[in-house]
PDB file of all heavy atoms in Angstrom:
ATOM      1  N   GLY X  77     138.539 108.174 121.492  1.00 84.00           N
ATOM      2  CA  GLY X  77     139.556 108.087 120.444  1.00 84.00           C
ATOM      3  C   GLY X  77     139.009 107.827 119.064  1.00 84.00           C
ATOM      4  O   GLY X  77     139.676 107.206 118.233  1.00 84.00           O
ATOM      5  N   PRO X  79     138.536 108.011 115.387  1.00 95.00           N
ATOM      6  CA  PRO X  79     139.326 108.645 114.329  1.00 95.00           C
ATOM      7  C   PRO X  79     138.549 109.683 113.533  1.00 95.00           C
ATOM      8  O   PRO X  79     139.143 110.621 112.991  1.00 95.00           O
ATOM      9  CB  PRO X  79     139.742 107.464 113.438  1.00 95.00           C
ATOM     10  CG  PRO X  79     139.691 106.276 114.338  1.00 95.00           C
ATOM     11  CD  PRO X  79     138.560 106.536 115.284  1.00 95.00           C
ATOM     12  N   ASN X  82     139.186 113.403 113.895  1.00 96.00           N
ATOM     13  CA  ASN X  82     140.500 113.952 113.546  1.00 96.00           C
ATOM     14  C   ASN X  82     140.585 114.338 112.067  1.00 96.00           C
ATOM     15  O   ASN X  82     139.889 113.774 111.220  1.00 96.00           O
ATOM     16  CB  ASN X  82     141.595 112.907 113.833  1.00 96.00           C
ATOM     17  CG  ASN X  82     141.572 112.430 115.271  1.00 96.00           C
ATOM     18  OD1 ASN X  82     141.197 113.172 116.178  1.00 96.00           O
ATOM     19  ND2 ASN X  82     141.959 111.187 115.497  1.00 96.00           N
ATOM     20  N   LEU X  83     141.450 115.301 111.781  1.00 97.00           N
ATOM     21  CA  LEU X  83     141.818 115.570 110.397  1.00 97.00           C
ATOM     22  C   LEU X  83     142.524 114.330 109.839  1.00 97.00           C
ATOM     23  O   LEU X  83     143.095 113.565 110.601  1.00 97.00           O
ATOM     24  CB  LEU X  83     142.764 116.784 110.337  1.00 97.00           C
ATOM     25  CG  LEU X  83     142.112 118.158 110.514  1.00 97.00           C
ATOM     26  CD1 LEU X  83     143.179 119.223 110.720  1.00 97.00           C
ATOM     27  CD2 LEU X  83     141.240 118.512 109.303  1.00 97.00           C
ATOM     28  N   PRO X  84     142.430 114.085 108.523  1.00 98.00           N
ATOM     29  CA  PRO X  84     141.941 114.993 107.474  1.00 98.00           C
ATOM     30  C   PRO X  84     140.430 114.950 107.220  1.00 98.00           C
ATOM     31  O   PRO X  84     139.977 115.513 106.219  1.00 98.00           O
ATOM     32  CB  PRO X  84     142.714 114.512 106.245  1.00 98.00           C
ATOM     33  CG  PRO X  84     142.918 113.057 106.475  1.00 98.00           C
ATOM     34  CD  PRO X  84     143.133 112.911 107.952  1.00 98.00           C
ATOM     35  N   PHE X 341     143.028  97.861 107.530  1.00 95.00           N
ATOM     36  CA  PHE X 341     142.096  97.893 108.660  1.00 95.00           C
ATOM     37  C   PHE X 341     142.755  98.395 109.941  1.00 95.00           C
ATOM     38  O   PHE X 341     142.083  98.875 110.852  1.00 95.00           O
ATOM     39  CB  PHE X 341     141.496  96.503 108.901  1.00 95.00           C
ATOM     40  CG  PHE X 341     140.339  96.184 107.993  1.00 95.00           C
ATOM     41  CD1 PHE X 341     140.544  95.508 106.806  1.00 95.00           C
ATOM     42  CD2 PHE X 341     139.045  96.586 108.316  1.00 95.00           C
ATOM     43  CE1 PHE X 341     139.483  95.219 105.955  1.00 95.00           C
ATOM     44  CE2 PHE X 341     137.973  96.307 107.475  1.00 95.00           C
ATOM     45  CZ  PHE X 341     138.191  95.621 106.290  1.00 95.00           C
ATOM     46  N   ASN X 342     144.070  98.295 110.006  1.00 95.00           N
ATOM     47  CA  ASN X 342     144.792  98.743 111.201  1.00 95.00           C
ATOM     48  C   ASN X 342     145.364 100.149 111.059  1.00 95.00           C
ATOM     49  O   ASN X 342     146.018 100.644 111.975  1.00 95.00           O
ATOM     50  CB  ASN X 342     145.923  97.760 111.527  1.00 95.00           C
ATOM     51  CG  ASN X 342     145.401  96.375 111.849  1.00 95.00           C
ATOM     52  OD1 ASN X 342     144.470  96.227 112.643  1.00 95.00           O
ATOM     53  ND2 ASN X 342     145.984  95.350 111.222  1.00 95.00           N
ATOM     54  N   ALA X 343     145.134 100.773 109.923  1.00 96.00           N
ATOM     55  CA  ALA X 343     145.665 102.120 109.697  1.00 96.00           C
ATOM     56  C   ALA X 343     144.633 102.939 108.941  1.00 96.00           C
ATOM     57  O   ALA X 343     144.837 103.336 107.792  1.00 96.00           O
ATOM     58  CB  ALA X 343     146.985 102.054 108.926  1.00 96.00           C
ATOM     59  N   GLY X 344     143.505 103.182 109.608  1.00 96.00           N
ATOM     60  CA  GLY X 344     142.403 103.886 108.979  1.00 96.00           C
ATOM     61  C   GLY X 344     142.570 105.393 108.988  1.00 96.00           C
ATOM     62  O   GLY X 344     143.384 105.956 109.735  1.00 96.00           O
ATOM     63  N   CYS X 345     141.791 106.034 108.161  1.00 98.00           N
ATOM     64  CA  CYS X 345     141.791 107.494 108.083  1.00 98.00           C
ATOM     65  C   CYS X 345     141.510 108.098 109.451  1.00 98.00           C
ATOM     66  O   CYS X 345     140.650 107.617 110.196  1.00 98.00           O
ATOM     67  CB  CYS X 345     140.726 107.944 107.088  1.00 98.00           C
ATOM     68  SG  CYS X 345     140.737 109.712 106.717  1.00 98.00           S
ATOM     69  N   GLY X 346     142.243 109.158 109.779  1.00 97.00           N
ATOM     70  CA  GLY X 346     142.074 109.826 111.066  1.00 97.00           C
ATOM     71  C   GLY X 346     143.045 109.363 112.127  1.00 97.00           C
ATOM     72  O   GLY X 346     143.183 110.015 113.170  1.00 97.00           O
ATOM     73  N   LEU X 347     143.740 108.257 111.889  1.00 97.00           N
ATOM     74  CA  LEU X 347     144.753 107.787 112.832  1.00 97.00           C
ATOM     75  C   LEU X 347     146.082 108.487 112.548  1.00 97.00           C
ATOM     76  O   LEU X 347     146.330 108.948 111.438  1.00 97.00           O
ATOM     77  CB  LEU X 347     144.925 106.271 112.732  1.00 97.00           C
ATOM     78  CG  LEU X 347     143.734 105.425 113.199  1.00 97.00           C
ATOM     79  CD1 LEU X 347     144.014 103.945 112.962  1.00 97.00           C
ATOM     80  CD2 LEU X 347     143.433 105.675 114.673  1.00 97.00           C
ATOM     81  N   PRO X 348     146.950 108.574 113.557  1.00 94.00           N
ATOM     82  CA  PRO X 348     148.248 109.232 113.345  1.00 94.00           C
ATOM     83  C   PRO X 348     149.016 108.604 112.189  1.00 94.00           C
ATOM     84  O   PRO X 348     148.987 107.393 111.992  1.00 94.00           O
ATOM     85  CB  PRO X 348     148.971 108.996 114.683  1.00 94.00           C
ATOM     86  CG  PRO X 348     147.883 108.796 115.675  1.00 94.00           C
ATOM     87  CD  PRO X 348     146.772 108.108 114.941  1.00 94.00           C
ATOM     88  N   SER X 349     149.669 109.415 111.429  1.00 90.00           N
ATOM     89  CA  SER X 349     150.523 109.029 110.295  1.00 90.00           C
ATOM     90  C   SER X 349     149.744 108.615 109.047  1.00 90.00           C
ATOM     91  O   SER X 349     150.347 108.342 108.010  1.00 90.00           O
ATOM     92  CB  SER X 349     151.503 107.908 110.662  1.00 90.00           C
ATOM     93  OG  SER X 349     150.860 106.637 110.710  1.00 90.00           O
ATOM     94  N   VAL X 350     148.405 108.565 109.117  1.00 97.00           N
ATOM     95  CA  VAL X 350     147.620 108.253 107.926  1.00 97.00           C
ATOM     96  C   VAL X 350     147.221 109.570 107.265  1.00 97.00           C
ATOM     97  O   VAL X 350     146.564 110.407 107.885  1.00 97.00           O
ATOM     98  CB  VAL X 350     146.363 107.422 108.273  1.00 97.00           C
ATOM     99  CG1 VAL X 350     145.543 107.165 107.013  1.00 97.00           C
ATOM    100  CG2 VAL X 350     146.771 106.110 108.921  1.00 97.00           C
ATOM    101  N   THR X 351     147.622 109.754 106.029  1.00 95.00           N
ATOM    102  CA  THR X 351     147.384 111.016 105.328  1.00 95.00           C
ATOM    103  C   THR X 351     146.435 110.819 104.154  1.00 95.00           C
ATOM    104  O   THR X 351     146.225 109.698 103.681  1.00 95.00           O
ATOM    105  CB  THR X 351     148.701 111.617 104.821  1.00 95.00           C
ATOM    106  OG1 THR X 351     149.335 110.661 103.948  1.00 95.00           O
ATOM    107  CG2 THR X 351     149.639 111.922 105.983  1.00 95.00           C
TER     108      THR X 351
END
Side-chain angles (χ1 to χ4, degrees):
N82 304 329
L83 284 168
F341 278 93
N342 298 312
C345 187
L347 292 177
S349 77
V350 178
T351 58

